[in-house]
Amino acid sequence: MTVFRAGDKVLIVACEDDPRAIGRTGRVLDEVPPGPLTNGRWTVDRVAFWIAPVLVHAHEIRKVG
């Protein structure tokens, strides 16, 4: 399992939560690995002005930059 850190810039390659986020970049909000509350999904913000923060599984995002 890939571990991300708060502030990591990521590319969203798939997103069950909101398909409009696919192909966009955002920043990981979580400071600890996700747990049962989010069903093991990471929170990614700053995707777009009109897209709220999305929840994604680790296999749906890739670190960039």
Side-chain angles (χ1 to χ4, degrees):
M1 178 178 156
T2 304
V3 177
F4 298 95
R5 299 180 144 193
D8 281 351
K9 187 174 181 179
V10 295
L11 171 67
I12 301 170
V13 296
C15 184
E16 292 177 24
D17 194 36
D18 189 341
R20 297 176 301 163
I22 298 170
R24 298 184 179 275
T25 58
R27 298 229 181 246
V28 174
L29 287 180
D30 305 298
E31 296 188 13
V32 297
L37 182 63
T38 61
N39 196 24
R41 298 178 294 174
W42 294 91
T43 307
V44 177
D45 193 13
R46 300 185 198 165
V47 177
F49 178 74
W50 59 89
I51 299 175
V54 293
L55 295 173
V56 294
H57 293 279
H59 68 271
E60 296 179 312
I61 55 179
R62 305 282 181 268
K63 284 185 185 182
V64 294

